Amino acid sequence: AQSVTQLDSHVSVSEGTPVLLRCNYSSSYSPSLFWYVQHPNKGLQLLLKYTSAATLVKGINGFEAEFKKSETSFHLTKPSAHMSDAAEYFCVVSNTDTGRRALTFGSGTRLQVQP
Amino acid sequence: DGGITQSPKYLFRKEGQNVTLSCEQNLNHDAMYWYRQDPGQGLRLIYYSQIVNDFQKGDIAEGYSVSREKKESFPLTVTSAQKNPTAFYLCASSTFRGVGGPTDTQYFGPGTRLTVL
């Protein structure tokens, strides 16, 4: 079975300061990991994806995430927050061992960016 | 302009009624998915389909039904048997490279917010 834990339900940062959104996963097999962002009443947009290539994954809008197998973590970071980054962020895991191909979502982290 | 469209954006249902949510994609994706999102929670899988004329139950399929008659379309019906249907519904699609292959990125539509009156 696979699962995802997002360690913070809310994170608040000031504009221009670094962002860290934490995610731990549990997976029986080599997982694929994703970060998605959701703005209010919108669908989800893919930020980045890890699929067993480079452990440091660069995404859109200056975000990146590092896959650490020993820590079973996939934390999302950005060097400098922008007001437009305020949204809900979801860490997601998918295993390749089943035909289902569905995603297991974390419960989300709401990022607030203060001016 | 490729993408996934969902309609309507907002939907109101009286208790005891069935309603159908539309999902269309022009990305030529084989697989399509329906998720439900409740406030403060992640998404939960309702149904998925990896090929036309075939679909599988997800984690919370009770009270829902789907069809996949065309590759582009995957409508979801919320039946009167669904006890608590008020939620935000998201449709997604992806390519599908088979069991054991890499996980394909899922692309999401803008969602439909269903409210039961």
Side-chain angles (χ1 to χ4, degrees), chain A residues 31-32 34 36 38-46 49 51 88 90 94-108 110, chain B residues 9-10 33 35 37 40-43 45 48 50 58-59 88 90 96-111 113:
Chain A
S32 292
F34 308 78
Y36 282 87
Q38 183 180 33
H39 289 89
N41 293 310
K42 302 290 186 184
L44 276 68
Q45 181 184 17
L46 179 70
K49 172 182 178 181
T51 56
E88 188 96 21
F90 292 96
S94 176
N95 282 337
T96 59
D97 60 313
T98 72
R100 203 170 87 156
R101 285 301 182 279
L103 307 176
T104 298
F105 284 76
S107 56
R110 181 165 298 279
Chain B
K9 186 172 181 178
Y10 298 96
Y33 310 81
Y35 293 90
Q37 185 178 26
Q41 297 187 31
L43 279 64
L45 181 67
Y48 65 102
Q50 292 167 339
D59 299 317
F88 191 48
L90 287 154
F96 177 61
R97 287 174 278 182
V99 176
T103 297
D104 303 273
T105 300
Q106 291 187 19
Y107 296 90
F108 286 81
R113 185 165 297 282

Side-chain angles (χ1 to χ4, degrees), chain B residues 43-114:
Chain B
L43 279 64
R44 292 181 291 167
L45 181 67
I46 304 172
Y47 268 98
Y48 65 102
S49 168
Q50 292 167 339
I51 194 169
V52 174
N53 293 322
D54 185 58
F55 49 83
Q56 306 294 329
K57 293 182 179 180
D59 299 317
I60 55 166
E62 185 176 351
Y64 299 97
S65 66
V66 293
S67 63
R68 186 86 188 277
E69 297 177 1
K70 298 187 301 181
K71 187 175 184 178
E72 303 79 19
S73 178
F74 191 40
L76 173 74
T77 296
V78 184
T79 75
S80 57
Q82 169 51 233
K83 299 303 181 190
N84 185 21
T86 294
F88 191 48
Y89 290 87
L90 287 154
C91 178
S93 72
S94 74
T95 55
F96 177 61
R97 287 174 278 182
V99 176
T103 297
D104 303 273
T105 300
Q106 291 187 19
Y107 296 90
F108 286 81
T112 292
R113 185 165 297 282
L114 173 63

Side-chain angles (χ1 to χ4, degrees), chain A residues 46-98:
Chain A
L46 179 70
L47 280 178
L48 49 82
K49 172 182 178 181
Y50 166 78
T51 56
S52 75
T55 56
L56 182 62
V57 182
K58 293 188 183 298
I60 63 171
N61 300 335
F63 285 95
E64 62 182 36
E66 186 172 8
F67 174 72
K68 292 187 176 180
K69 186 174 181 179
S70 61
E71 299 176 9
T72 62
S73 69
F74 190 57
H75 301 334
L76 182 70
T77 60
K78 182 174 180 178
S80 177
H82 191 273
M83 295 296 290
S84 60
D85 294 328
E88 188 96 21
Y89 291 80
F90 292 96
C91 182
V92 183
V93 66
S94 176
N95 282 337
T96 59
D97 60 313
T98 72

